[in-house]
Amino acid sequence: MGFWKRAEKPAPPTTLDHVAWEQRGLPNRELEKDDQSEGEVQRPHHVSSELERRVVRKLDLGVVPLVSALYLLAFLDRSNIGNARIAGMREDLDLHGNRYQWLLNIFYIAYIIFEVFALMWKILPPNIWAAFVVFGWGVAATLQATTQVWETEMVCRFFLGLFEAGFGPGIPYLLSFFYLRHELGLRIGIFLSAAPLATTFAGALAYGITSGHSAIANWRLLFLVEGLPTIIMAAVAYRFLPVSPEKARFLNQEEALVVKARGVRQVGDVSRIGGIDWRDIGATLIDAKAWITAFMYFSTNVGFSSLPVFLPTILEEMGYSSVNAQGLTAPPFFLSFLVTIISVYIADKTQQRGLTVIVMSTIGFIGCVLLAACKTVGVRYFGVFLAAAGIFPTIANILPWVLNNQGSDTRRGAGIAILNIIGQCGPLLGTNIFPSTEGPRYTKGMWVSAAFTLFTAFLAMGLRILLVWENKRLDQKHGPKSKISGRGATDPASMETAVCEENYGPNFRFVL
């Protein structure tokens, strides 16, 4: 069946009608009489499922791998300080007392202050903004190799946090411009799975670098090897990241039209980059759901931030050599990489984001308890696997939950900003509960991580109960969603007539 089809009798406007009318300069209403002939109206048919799948596959290949690779580098550049610490930086920069904790704190202080940069993805062309922040943190990461004193390293870490704040927190928001809400979770999960994958590579790469004898200190070489590729990737981001979904280089004209139709189906508009609605920002600030997810993110971040930077030290003080400790960090984080992708896929298919968060955070809680309560090295190492496999996937499911449950582009952006401003305070706590005086077991730090991880599960349960209640209110107001469309939510014919279904309105329901 062709993409365009002449209807034999007038039909209700569709998403592609809106796109066609906009391109022809017509208002979003029935076509004028002078565009009709002999009682017939030229109307675009609904998007075929095969054509839409082809477009989504192209988006998957053209957008997700690029932003995931950049996030892998970002996480590598922020967390490799844990590997550098036991590779000689502790002695060379005289990291006595709480100096190491301050190197971690200053990163997150800058990260929190500049979280509002997440909204820049809607204001500026994504390729320009990405190139700017990637280049900035790449330079800061590389310059760490040249530091001679603790104070200079503090400056580098501050600018590293500043520029990274403009990238990672806003990418889930950017992806919401490209994907429908039931597609979004898996893509965010793949993006965020770069974090445990980066930690896997961090251990293996640090093992390879620090096991040799180079002309410069091994920790300096580590920062060079892992920082310079980021600078190069800034040019790649500028060249290949799409300016907007409908202007992606890898789409042909027909596929670009499909992307525009998907935008209308989502929010009722074709163009989504440029400008924000300040009234929607105010509405988000008084929305309890935005704050609940923000505190969930805070709680999970206590363990999420501390595990990668302290795990090499924890393993070293379990009795492993520095070199072996670097290598042993890789397996737990590779497992969490796999679990992250599997969990978001299941949550997307079942549309049960809350239950997934509850299960994953419970697994992370058990892992932290084993690390806190047990003394046997083997059991504690098993606890590392559970903690990593629970905490990282929890983060990956909280982020799409925020985007799924805000009903406009600006509100989604504001929700992500609130999430990160509150949530990124978690690392300030997480990186200060492992003082060197409490090694080798770091019992207090692991118990605190366990408590906050379990608290995440209770918050997710409470939010899910609230969303069930709100959906019942929407059903009472508008009627059950299936009756509104007259068909099932996944029926292509239903999707043909859906307009603005991801913004507040009769078709909007919260994802549980």
Side-chain angles (χ1 to χ4, degrees):
M1 181 182 293
F3 184 70
W4 302 99
K5 180 180 176 181
R6 179 177 294 275
E8 295 184 358
K9 58 175 71 175
T14 71
T15 53
L16 285 177
D17 285 322
H18 286 259
V19 174
W21 296 337
E22 177 169 320
Q23 288 182 333
R24 297 166 60 186
L26 296 176
N28 284 352
R29 60 177 184 262
E30 295 292 336
L31 293 177
E32 303 293 337
K33 288 184 179 291
D34 57 9
D35 287 308
Q36 303 176 19
S37 61
E38 299 180 0
E40 292 186 315
V41 180
Q42 182 74 22
R43 298 181 180 277
H45 195 267
H46 71 269
V47 179
S48 72
S49 58
E50 177 55 38
L51 178 58
E52 187 165 12
R53 281 195 297 268
R54 190 175 82 202
V55 170
V56 172
R57 282 195 299 268
K58 284 196 171 186
L59 293 174
D60 287 343
L61 293 175
V63 178
V64 177
L66 178 55
V67 295
S68 299
L70 292 170
Y71 189 58
L72 185 149
L73 292 174
F75 206 84
L76 201 64
D77 289 334
R78 83 171 67 164
S79 61
N80 59 10
I81 191 170
N83 302 101
R85 181 192 188 192
I86 65 173
M89 188 176 76
R90 178 169 44 195
E91 294 77 19
D92 289 353
L93 296 188
D94 191 22
L95 301 181
H96 61 271
N98 62 355
R99 283 189 163 193
Y100 179 67
Q101 275 72 25
W102 269 108
L103 289 177
L104 305 180
N105 289 344
I106 195 65
F107 172 88
Y108 287 107
I109 289 171
Y111 208 77
I112 293 165
I113 292 173
F114 295 99
E115 284 293 348
V116 292
F117 281 170
L119 289 169
M120 295 300 293
W121 293 102
K122 182 168 174 60
I123 298 172
L124 293 179
N127 64 324
I128 294 176
W129 179 247
F132 171 70
V133 294
V134 172
F135 181 80
W137 97 63
V139 170
T142 304
L143 287 178
Q144 291 180 103
T146 67
T147 57
Q148 301 297 324
V149 294
W150 172 75
E151 290 81 2
T152 310
E153 178 66 16
M154 284 282 288
V155 173
C156 289
R157 293 286 295 178
F158 177 85
F159 281 101
L160 185 66
L162 183 156
F163 286 108
E164 283 202 25
F167 182 75
I171 290 297
Y173 180 44
L174 175 68
L175 292 177
S176 71
F177 300 154
F178 289 84
Y179 294 100
L180 306 179
R181 69 197 311 217
H182 66 275
E183 302 166 344
L184 187 60
L186 177 61
R187 279 74 188 182
I188 292 178
I190 293 172
F191 163 72
L192 288 174
S193 69
L197 191 61
T199 311
T200 302
F201 286 136
L205 187 57
Y207 177 88
I209 294 172
T210 59
S211 61
H213 301 282
S214 61
I216 62 174
N218 285 333
W219 66 271
R220 297 184 188 277
L221 184 61
L222 180 64
F223 284 136
L224 283 174
V225 170
E226 296 182 354
L228 288 173
T230 303
I231 297 175
I232 297 171
M233 285 297 292
V236 176
Y238 178 78
R239 178 67 176 81
F240 292 104
L241 192 64
V243 175
S244 64
E246 68 275 9
K247 295 180 182 178
R249 300 171 183 270
F250 47 81
L251 298 177
N252 60 36
Q253 186 175 1
E254 182 183 47
E255 292 163 345
L257 187 60
V258 173
V259 169
K260 291 181 179 181
R262 283 162 57 89
V264 172
R265 187 191 309 169
Q266 287 179 282
V267 299
D269 198 0
V270 172
S271 178
R272 302 173 67 182
I273 305 295
I276 56 177
D277 188 330
W278 290 101
R279 290 174 299 180
D280 278 356
I281 290 180
T284 310
L285 290 173
I286 59 174
D287 184 356
K289 296 183 292 295
W291 294 96
I292 293 173
T293 49
F295 282 107
M296 288 168 56
Y297 197 48
F298 171 92
S299 298
T300 310
N301 258 335
V302 173
F304 178 80
S305 61
S306 58
L307 202 58
V309 294
F310 283 102
L311 185 56
T313 302
I314 293 172
L315 289 172
E316 183 184 27
E317 296 187 359
M318 279 185 189
Y320 298 102
S321 69
S322 172
V323 172
N324 287 334
Q326 305 276 25
L328 287 171
T329 61
F333 289 114
F334 185 71
L335 174 65
S336 68
F337 161 73
L338 298 176
V339 175
T340 295
I341 295 177
I342 293 170
S343 68
V344 293
Y345 176 79
I346 292 173
D348 266 358
K349 287 296 183 182
T350 61
Q351 290 294 283
Q352 294 293 333
R353 196 77 60 192
L355 294 180
T356 307
V357 170
I358 293 169
V359 171
M360 291 295 101
S361 55
T362 302
I363 292 172
F365 164 74
I366 295 171
C368 291
V369 168
L370 291 178
L371 281 165
C374 299
K375 296 182 179 179
T376 306
V377 171
V379 176
R380 297 192 75 209
Y381 190 48
F382 176 67
V384 172
F385 276 86
L386 291 182
I391 291 173
F392 280 83
T394 299
I395 291 285
N397 281 280
I398 291 174
L399 285 167
W401 209 11
V402 176
L403 296 166
N404 288 160
N405 290 329
Q406 292 294 338
S408 77
D409 276 343
T410 297
R411 291 192 62 153
R412 283 183 276 273
I416 284 292
I418 293 172
L419 179 91
N420 282 286
I421 290 171
I422 300 298
Q424 293 300 342
C425 292
L428 287 177
L429 173 62
T431 54
N432 281 282
I433 56 178
F434 293 91
S436 56
T437 55
E438 297 191 4
R441 290 182 58 199
Y442 299 97
T443 303
K444 182 182 75 174
M446 296 318 306
W447 278 121
V448 172
S449 295
F452 274 102
T453 305
L454 184 62
F455 185 51
T456 300
F458 283 109
L459 287 174
M461 189 181 303
L463 179 58
R464 190 179 188 281
I465 292 171
L466 174 62
L467 294 175
V468 168
W469 177 73
E470 293 222 17
N471 277 346
K472 287 181 179 178
R473 290 182 60 201
L474 291 172
D475 284 344
Q476 291 172 355
K477 181 178 180 180
H478 301 294
K481 186 175 179 181
S482 59
K483 291 184 178 180
I484 296 172
S485 65
R487 303 175 177 90
T490 58
D491 182 12
S494 172
M495 292 189 287
E496 173 189 356
T497 58
V499 175
C500 203
E501 64 179 13
E502 295 187 15
N503 280 8
Y504 292 129
N507 282 314
F508 183 88
R509 294 297 182 276
F510 296 101
V511 174
L512 305 179

PDB file of all heavy atoms in Angstrom, residues 364-376 379-384 386 441 446-447 450:
ATOM      1  N   GLY A 364      19.347  -4.117  44.644  1.00  0.00           N
ATOM      2  CA  GLY A 364      20.464  -3.270  45.060  1.00  0.00           C
ATOM      3  C   GLY A 364      20.586  -3.193  46.573  1.00  0.00           C
ATOM      4  O   GLY A 364      21.694  -3.193  47.128  1.00  0.00           O
ATOM      5  N   PHE A 365      19.444  -3.123  47.264  1.00  0.00           N
ATOM      6  CA  PHE A 365      19.435  -3.089  48.730  1.00  0.00           C
ATOM      7  C   PHE A 365      20.078  -4.348  49.306  1.00  0.00           C
ATOM      8  O   PHE A 365      20.911  -4.272  50.224  1.00  0.00           O
ATOM      9  CB  PHE A 365      17.988  -2.952  49.215  1.00  0.00           C
ATOM     10  CG  PHE A 365      17.785  -3.280  50.663  1.00  0.00           C
ATOM     11  CD1 PHE A 365      18.205  -2.420  51.656  1.00  0.00           C
ATOM     12  CD2 PHE A 365      17.160  -4.474  51.029  1.00  0.00           C
ATOM     13  CE1 PHE A 365      18.020  -2.728  52.998  1.00  0.00           C
ATOM     14  CE2 PHE A 365      16.963  -4.793  52.361  1.00  0.00           C
ATOM     15  CZ  PHE A 365      17.396  -3.923  53.348  1.00  0.00           C
ATOM     16  N   ILE A 366      19.719  -5.508  48.772  1.00  0.00           N
ATOM     17  CA  ILE A 366      20.293  -6.771  49.272  1.00  0.00           C
ATOM     18  C   ILE A 366      21.803  -6.775  49.078  1.00  0.00           C
ATOM     19  O   ILE A 366      22.565  -7.204  49.959  1.00  0.00           O
ATOM     20  CB  ILE A 366      19.638  -7.977  48.559  1.00  0.00           C
ATOM     21  CG1 ILE A 366      18.151  -8.066  48.917  1.00  0.00           C
ATOM     22  CG2 ILE A 366      20.348  -9.277  48.920  1.00  0.00           C
ATOM     23  CD1 ILE A 366      17.373  -9.081  48.095  1.00  0.00           C
ATOM     24  N   GLY A 367      22.259  -6.296  47.917  1.00  0.00           N
ATOM     25  CA  GLY A 367      23.700  -6.248  47.665  1.00  0.00           C
ATOM     26  C   GLY A 367      24.430  -5.359  48.664  1.00  0.00           C
ATOM     27  O   GLY A 367      25.498  -5.725  49.179  1.00  0.00           O
ATOM     28  N   CYS A 368      23.866  -4.193  48.963  1.00  0.00           N
ATOM     29  CA  CYS A 368      24.503  -3.279  49.928  1.00  0.00           C
ATOM     30  C   CYS A 368      24.527  -3.888  51.327  1.00  0.00           C
ATOM     31  O   CYS A 368      25.489  -3.700  52.079  1.00  0.00           O
ATOM     32  CB  CYS A 368      23.770  -1.946  49.947  1.00  0.00           C
ATOM     33  SG  CYS A 368      23.962  -0.965  48.433  1.00  0.00           S
ATOM     34  N   VAL A 369      23.454  -4.608  51.682  1.00  0.00           N
ATOM     35  CA  VAL A 369      23.412  -5.266  52.993  1.00  0.00           C
ATOM     36  C   VAL A 369      24.515  -6.316  53.112  1.00  0.00           C
ATOM     37  O   VAL A 369      25.184  -6.426  54.149  1.00  0.00           O
ATOM     38  CB  VAL A 369      22.027  -5.900  53.246  1.00  0.00           C
ATOM     39  CG1 VAL A 369      22.059  -6.821  54.458  1.00  0.00           C
ATOM     40  CG2 VAL A 369      20.977  -4.811  53.432  1.00  0.00           C
ATOM     41  N   LEU A 370      24.724  -7.100  52.064  1.00  0.00           N
ATOM     42  CA  LEU A 370      25.794  -8.098  52.085  1.00  0.00           C
ATOM     43  C   LEU A 370      27.159  -7.434  52.251  1.00  0.00           C
ATOM     44  O   LEU A 370      28.019  -7.930  52.993  1.00  0.00           O
ATOM     45  CB  LEU A 370      25.774  -8.934  50.799  1.00  0.00           C
ATOM     46  CG  LEU A 370      24.585  -9.886  50.612  1.00  0.00           C
ATOM     47  CD1 LEU A 370      24.687 -10.607  49.269  1.00  0.00           C
ATOM     48  CD2 LEU A 370      24.521 -10.895  51.745  1.00  0.00           C
ATOM     49  N   LEU A 371      27.371  -6.316  51.576  1.00  0.00           N
ATOM     50  CA  LEU A 371      28.644  -5.608  51.708  1.00  0.00           C
ATOM     51  C   LEU A 371      28.823  -5.031  53.106  1.00  0.00           C
ATOM     52  O   LEU A 371      29.942  -4.951  53.625  1.00  0.00           O
ATOM     53  CB  LEU A 371      28.715  -4.478  50.674  1.00  0.00           C
ATOM     54  CG  LEU A 371      29.073  -4.893  49.251  1.00  0.00           C
ATOM     55  CD1 LEU A 371      28.764  -3.786  48.265  1.00  0.00           C
ATOM     56  CD2 LEU A 371      30.547  -5.269  49.167  1.00  0.00           C
ATOM     57  N   ALA A 372      27.723  -4.632  53.740  1.00  0.00           N
ATOM     58  CA  ALA A 372      27.814  -4.015  55.063  1.00  0.00           C
ATOM     59  C   ALA A 372      27.929  -5.054  56.176  1.00  0.00           C
ATOM     60  O   ALA A 372      28.657  -4.847  57.161  1.00  0.00           O
ATOM     61  CB  ALA A 372      26.591  -3.135  55.305  1.00  0.00           C
ATOM     62  N   ALA A 373      27.218  -6.193  56.029  1.00  0.00           N
ATOM     63  CA  ALA A 373      27.078  -7.120  57.154  1.00  0.00           C
ATOM     64  C   ALA A 373      28.052  -8.292  57.130  1.00  0.00           C
ATOM     65  O   ALA A 373      28.298  -8.905  58.177  1.00  0.00           O
ATOM     66  CB  ALA A 373      25.638  -7.654  57.193  1.00  0.00           C
ATOM     67  N   CYS A 374      28.584  -8.616  55.961  1.00  0.00           N
ATOM     68  CA  CYS A 374      29.407  -9.824  55.842  1.00  0.00           C
ATOM     69  C   CYS A 374      30.898  -9.501  55.865  1.00  0.00           C
ATOM     70  O   CYS A 374      31.313  -8.404  55.461  1.00  0.00           O
ATOM     71  CB  CYS A 374      29.057 -10.585  54.570  1.00  0.00           C
ATOM     72  SG  CYS A 374      27.336 -11.133  54.516  1.00  0.00           S
ATOM     73  N   LYS A 375      31.678 -10.459  56.321  1.00  0.00           N
ATOM     74  CA  LYS A 375      33.124 -10.290  56.370  1.00  0.00           C
ATOM     75  C   LYS A 375      33.852 -11.156  55.351  1.00  0.00           C
ATOM     76  O   LYS A 375      34.989 -10.863  54.991  1.00  0.00           O
ATOM     77  CB  LYS A 375      33.635 -10.626  57.773  1.00  0.00           C
ATOM     78  CG  LYS A 375      33.113  -9.696  58.858  1.00  0.00           C
ATOM     79  CD  LYS A 375      33.689 -10.049  60.223  1.00  0.00           C
ATOM     80  CE  LYS A 375      33.184  -9.093  61.298  1.00  0.00           C
ATOM     81  NZ  LYS A 375      33.727  -9.442  62.639  1.00  0.00           N
ATOM     82  N   THR A 376      33.202 -12.227  54.893  1.00  0.00           N
ATOM     83  CA  THR A 376      33.826 -13.131  53.932  1.00  0.00           C
ATOM     84  C   THR A 376      34.005 -12.429  52.594  1.00  0.00           C
ATOM     85  O   THR A 376      33.057 -11.833  52.067  1.00  0.00           O
ATOM     86  CB  THR A 376      32.968 -14.394  53.731  1.00  0.00           C
ATOM     87  OG1 THR A 376      32.713 -14.991  55.000  1.00  0.00           O
ATOM     88  CG2 THR A 376      33.679 -15.390  52.825  1.00  0.00           C
ATOM     89  N   VAL A 379      31.563 -13.542  49.700  1.00  0.00           N
ATOM     90  CA  VAL A 379      30.184 -13.069  49.869  1.00  0.00           C
ATOM     91  C   VAL A 379      30.101 -11.572  49.580  1.00  0.00           C
ATOM     92  O   VAL A 379      29.157 -11.099  48.946  1.00  0.00           O
ATOM     93  CB  VAL A 379      29.688 -13.377  51.295  1.00  0.00           C
ATOM     94  CG1 VAL A 379      28.296 -12.800  51.510  1.00  0.00           C
ATOM     95  CG2 VAL A 379      29.662 -14.882  51.531  1.00  0.00           C
ATOM     96  N   ARG A 380      31.090 -10.825  50.031  1.00  0.00           N
ATOM     97  CA  ARG A 380      31.085  -9.383  49.795  1.00  0.00           C
ATOM     98  C   ARG A 380      31.229  -9.069  48.300  1.00  0.00           C
ATOM     99  O   ARG A 380      30.580  -8.145  47.791  1.00  0.00           O
ATOM    100  CB  ARG A 380      32.211  -8.705  50.583  1.00  0.00           C
ATOM    101  CG  ARG A 380      32.074  -8.832  52.091  1.00  0.00           C
ATOM    102  CD  ARG A 380      33.036  -7.911  52.800  1.00  0.00           C
ATOM    103  NE  ARG A 380      32.569  -6.529  52.718  1.00  0.00           N
ATOM    104  CZ  ARG A 380      33.368  -5.463  52.718  1.00  0.00           C
ATOM    105  NH1 ARG A 380      34.682  -5.621  52.748  1.00  0.00           N
ATOM    106  NH2 ARG A 380      32.865  -4.252  52.658  1.00  0.00           N
ATOM    107  N   TYR A 381      32.041  -9.853  47.611  1.00  0.00           N
ATOM    108  CA  TYR A 381      32.187  -9.631  46.170  1.00  0.00           C
ATOM    109  C   TYR A 381      30.879  -9.963  45.446  1.00  0.00           C
ATOM    110  O   TYR A 381      30.489  -9.270  44.498  1.00  0.00           O
ATOM    111  CB  TYR A 381      33.333 -10.476  45.628  1.00  0.00           C
ATOM    112  CG  TYR A 381      33.726 -10.135  44.195  1.00  0.00           C
ATOM    113  CD1 TYR A 381      33.936  -8.822  43.790  1.00  0.00           C
ATOM    114  CD2 TYR A 381      33.894 -11.144  43.246  1.00  0.00           C
ATOM    115  CE1 TYR A 381      34.302  -8.517  42.493  1.00  0.00           C
ATOM    116  CE2 TYR A 381      34.265 -10.845  41.937  1.00  0.00           C
ATOM    117  CZ  TYR A 381      34.458  -9.531  41.574  1.00  0.00           C
ATOM    118  OH  TYR A 381      34.821  -9.235  40.282  1.00  0.00           O
ATOM    119  N   PHE A 382      30.161 -10.991  45.927  1.00  0.00           N
ATOM    120  CA  PHE A 382      28.840 -11.297  45.379  1.00  0.00           C
ATOM    121  C   PHE A 382      27.887 -10.143  45.635  1.00  0.00           C
ATOM    122  O   PHE A 382      27.047  -9.788  44.789  1.00  0.00           O
ATOM    123  CB  PHE A 382      28.302 -12.587  46.008  1.00  0.00           C
ATOM    124  CG  PHE A 382      26.900 -12.929  45.574  1.00  0.00           C
ATOM    125  CD1 PHE A 382      26.614 -13.282  44.264  1.00  0.00           C
ATOM    126  CD2 PHE A 382      25.853 -12.895  46.490  1.00  0.00           C
ATOM    127  CE1 PHE A 382      25.330 -13.601  43.862  1.00  0.00           C
ATOM    128  CE2 PHE A 382      24.559 -13.205  46.108  1.00  0.00           C
ATOM    129  CZ  PHE A 382      24.287 -13.564  44.792  1.00  0.00           C
ATOM    130  N   GLY A 383      28.014  -9.518  46.811  1.00  0.00           N
ATOM    131  CA  GLY A 383      27.210  -8.339  47.118  1.00  0.00           C
ATOM    132  C   GLY A 383      27.460  -7.201  46.154  1.00  0.00           C
ATOM    133  O   GLY A 383      26.540  -6.434  45.822  1.00  0.00           O
ATOM    134  N   VAL A 384      28.697  -7.057  45.683  1.00  0.00           N
ATOM    135  CA  VAL A 384      29.025  -6.038  44.683  1.00  0.00           C
ATOM    136  C   VAL A 384      28.221  -6.275  43.403  1.00  0.00           C
ATOM    137  O   VAL A 384      27.685  -5.332  42.797  1.00  0.00           O
ATOM    138  CB  VAL A 384      30.540  -6.029  44.383  1.00  0.00           C
ATOM    139  CG1 VAL A 384      30.845  -5.110  43.206  1.00  0.00           C
ATOM    140  CG2 VAL A 384      31.328  -5.594  45.607  1.00  0.00           C
ATOM    141  N   LEU A 386      25.274  -7.792  43.123  1.00  0.00           N
ATOM    142  CA  LEU A 386      23.872  -7.457  43.344  1.00  0.00           C
ATOM    143  C   LEU A 386      23.664  -5.944  43.428  1.00  0.00           C
ATOM    144  O   LEU A 386      22.685  -5.412  42.884  1.00  0.00           O
ATOM    145  CB  LEU A 386      23.374  -8.118  44.631  1.00  0.00           C
ATOM    146  CG  LEU A 386      23.248  -9.647  44.625  1.00  0.00           C
ATOM    147  CD1 LEU A 386      22.701 -10.140  45.953  1.00  0.00           C
ATOM    148  CD2 LEU A 386      22.357 -10.121  43.485  1.00  0.00           C
ATOM    149  N   ARG A 441      36.180  -2.180  55.495  1.00  0.00           N
ATOM    150  CA  ARG A 441      34.822  -2.649  55.216  1.00  0.00           C
ATOM    151  C   ARG A 441      33.861  -1.509  54.887  1.00  0.00           C
ATOM    152  O   ARG A 441      32.845  -1.728  54.232  1.00  0.00           O
ATOM    153  CB  ARG A 441      34.300  -3.461  56.405  1.00  0.00           C
ATOM    154  CG  ARG A 441      35.003  -4.816  56.578  1.00  0.00           C
ATOM    155  CD  ARG A 441      34.416  -5.583  57.742  1.00  0.00           C
ATOM    156  NE  ARG A 441      32.987  -5.788  57.555  1.00  0.00           N
ATOM    157  CZ  ARG A 441      32.146  -6.085  58.544  1.00  0.00           C
ATOM    158  NH1 ARG A 441      32.604  -6.173  59.788  1.00  0.00           N
ATOM    159  NH2 ARG A 441      30.866  -6.266  58.304  1.00  0.00           N
ATOM    160  N   MET A 446      28.112   1.532  53.522  1.00  0.00           N
ATOM    161  CA  MET A 446      27.273   0.531  52.868  1.00  0.00           C
ATOM    162  C   MET A 446      25.882   0.481  53.499  1.00  0.00           C
ATOM    163  O   MET A 446      24.885   0.285  52.798  1.00  0.00           O
ATOM    164  CB  MET A 446      27.933  -0.841  52.932  1.00  0.00           C
ATOM    165  CG  MET A 446      29.264  -0.951  52.183  1.00  0.00           C
ATOM    166  SD  MET A 446      29.331  -0.141  50.537  1.00  0.00           S
ATOM    167  CE  MET A 446      27.936  -0.852  49.700  1.00  0.00           C
ATOM    168  N   TRP A 447      25.784   0.660  54.823  1.00  0.00           N
ATOM    169  CA  TRP A 447      24.453   0.687  55.451  1.00  0.00           C
ATOM    170  C   TRP A 447      23.658   1.903  55.001  1.00  0.00           C
ATOM    171  O   TRP A 447      22.441   1.817  54.770  1.00  0.00           O
ATOM    172  CB  TRP A 447      24.584   0.676  56.978  1.00  0.00           C
ATOM    173  CG  TRP A 447      24.791  -0.687  57.584  1.00  0.00           C
ATOM    174  CD1 TRP A 447      25.840  -1.106  58.348  1.00  0.00           C
ATOM    175  CD2 TRP A 447      23.911  -1.812  57.477  1.00  0.00           C
ATOM    176  NE1 TRP A 447      25.688  -2.424  58.722  1.00  0.00           N
ATOM    177  CE2 TRP A 447      24.501  -2.884  58.199  1.00  0.00           C
ATOM    178  CE3 TRP A 447      22.691  -2.038  56.850  1.00  0.00           C
ATOM    179  CZ2 TRP A 447      23.913  -4.136  58.304  1.00  0.00           C
ATOM    180  CZ3 TRP A 447      22.101  -3.298  56.945  1.00  0.00           C
ATOM    181  CH2 TRP A 447      22.704  -4.324  57.668  1.00  0.00           C
ATOM    182  N   ALA A 450      22.430   1.186  51.572  1.00  0.00           N
ATOM    183  CA  ALA A 450      21.340   0.202  51.628  1.00  0.00           C
ATOM    184  C   ALA A 450      20.025   0.868  52.026  1.00  0.00           C
ATOM    185  O   ALA A 450      18.968   0.618  51.429  1.00  0.00           O
ATOM    186  CB  ALA A 450      21.691  -0.913  52.608  1.00  0.00           C
TER     187      ALA A 450
END
